[in-house]
Amino acid sequence: MAEQEKKNAPQQPELSELLKIRRDKLTELQAAGEDPFQQTRFAWDATAEEIKENFDAMEGKEVKVAGRLMSKRGMGKVSFCDLQDRSGRIQLYARQDEMDEAVYKKFKKYDIGDIVGVTGEVFRTQRGEMSVRAKDIVLLSKSLLPLPEKFHGLQDRELRYRQRYVDLIVNPEVKRNFIIRSKFIKHVRDFMDARGYIEVETPVLNTIAGGAAARPFITHHNTLDIDMYMRIATELPLKRLIIGGMDRVYEIGRIFRNEGMDPKHNPEFTTIELYEAYADFHDMMDIAEGILSSAAKEILGTYEVEWLGEKINLAPGWPRLTMVEAVKQYVGVDFSAITDDAEAVAAAKSVGVELSDAAEKTWGNALYACFDKKVEEHLVQPTFITMYPVEVSPLTKRSPADPRLTERFEFFINHAEFGNAYSELNDPIDQRYRFEKQVEQRERGDDETEMLDEDFLTAMEYGMPPTGGMGIGIDRCVMLLTGADSIRDVILFPTMKPLDK
């Protein structure tokens, strides 16, 4: 019986046939002198959200709305449609005897996905649906490709990232992530501007890749006939501005790193880097905590967020642990009681931590390896980890209390690093020494190390004030605030492998 019903069911047209039908409709419109692509504007004066939020005041009044047809139902002389605009959806009610008959007949031929402008009256249907009773409908753009009927679920994720425009049309809730992203970036700007910082712009193309330990993208400048590097950080140009007397500067911009891709990494991403003269890393901790705590409260209305299956509390008062304290607490090795490099490496090995071949076998590298491989997994609630070893902090001021350590912190939320900050190194002699150590490490095979920047060293020799500096990943902050489990969900156009590769 089921097989018989299946045979008797009307056959759905193939996609190629649907495409032809839509193009034929366009040809007919153009032949009749009604090419929708010649429409240049439509003076709308209301949105779906405004109508619903102010329905009592707007009921019975004429409005002009514009958007995309997302559904059509009804037969004969009465039609119902859902119109989607930038704010949401509103129902359209079209009746032949309440509008020009020719306009209604044209409207009946419109397809789901077409973009229309509607003039009509705000009213409520017998079923209580807030709607617009159409008096006139004009076709503003013809959709030549049908929208997918089913665009949800994990199996469609890659297609959604590749065709974000379709994702936004069919899954309007996706837009929320990007609205929150926009609000967060505005919040960061307002936060920094209120503290007397100046927003600046620095070069994306550089002759040296510096300011971070990362592998760069390399391109070629034809006129100068030189290779150039897309920036891996904005740190060194911003520090030059501190030296030049611009005491509080920040930049929100794209960073490019030729590295792997996973749910928390994209080859191009957005950061804020900021530098403040006469400040140190303690001041940077206050700013980092202030930005995220106040953003959650302002944008979401709460300090409590849920991310990657954990409930996170962003209320001010985040714990601050030195790296030595964290390793002692979570790994059980007390590096404060160890002074010898070989003993430190052996202590790391005793808890299953081996140093990489490229890393020098030092106390600092052993401490960092233990933290990196054993501690991060425990950091769920917002936590500052401070006092990093010199070996992994080539641009950071040494601690006066222990020259093996630096006045640096990273802060972690739910096992992920969100930001990195220093009391900036301002001793040009020490800076040269550390650059040279990084070059040696590069020569041993570690290509994710700093390059020696002679111009930056020259700038430092003119005198750099004590400075606090910090970089925060914008994308991860937005992931946290939106509850997204992949960085691709908060980047409108994430990097994707070409389909033909």
Side-chain angles (χ1 to χ4, degrees), residues 22 43 96 133 154 166 195 236 259 323-324 326 382 436 443:
R22 292 194 178 214
Q96 181 175 311
R133 187 192 301 270
L154 291 174
V166 181
R195 284 155 180 76
L236 300 187
E259 299 170 341
M323 186 173 288
V324 169
E436 289 172 350
E443 290 172 350

Side-chain angles (χ1 to χ4, degrees), residues 330-350:
Y330 293 108
V331 185
V333 178
D334 185 4
F335 274 82
S336 66
I338 300 173
T339 57
D340 180 71
D341 287 340
E343 185 183 351
V345 173
K349 190 172 182 178
S350 72

Side-chain angles (χ1 to χ4, degrees), residues 2 14 33 49 56 109 148 163 182 219 242 265 336 356 390 409 415 424 433 450 454 458 469 476 478:
E14 296 291 335
E49 184 178 54
D56 290 343
K109 294 182 179 180
Q163 297 185 343
S182 178
T219 186
I242 291 289
H265 294 86
S336 66
S356 68
V390 168
F409 75 78
H415 322 298
E424 301 295 335
Y433 169 77
E450 288 282 350
E454 288 288 355
T458 299
R476 286 196 187 172
V478 178

Side-chain angles (χ1 to χ4, degrees), residues 397-413:
K397 182 169 286 191
R398 292 176 189 265
S399 166
D402 187 341
R404 297 175 300 177
L405 299 174
T406 62
E407 292 194 342
R408 172 187 175 187
F409 75 78
E410 291 181 311
F411 69 96
F412 296 83
I413 303 174

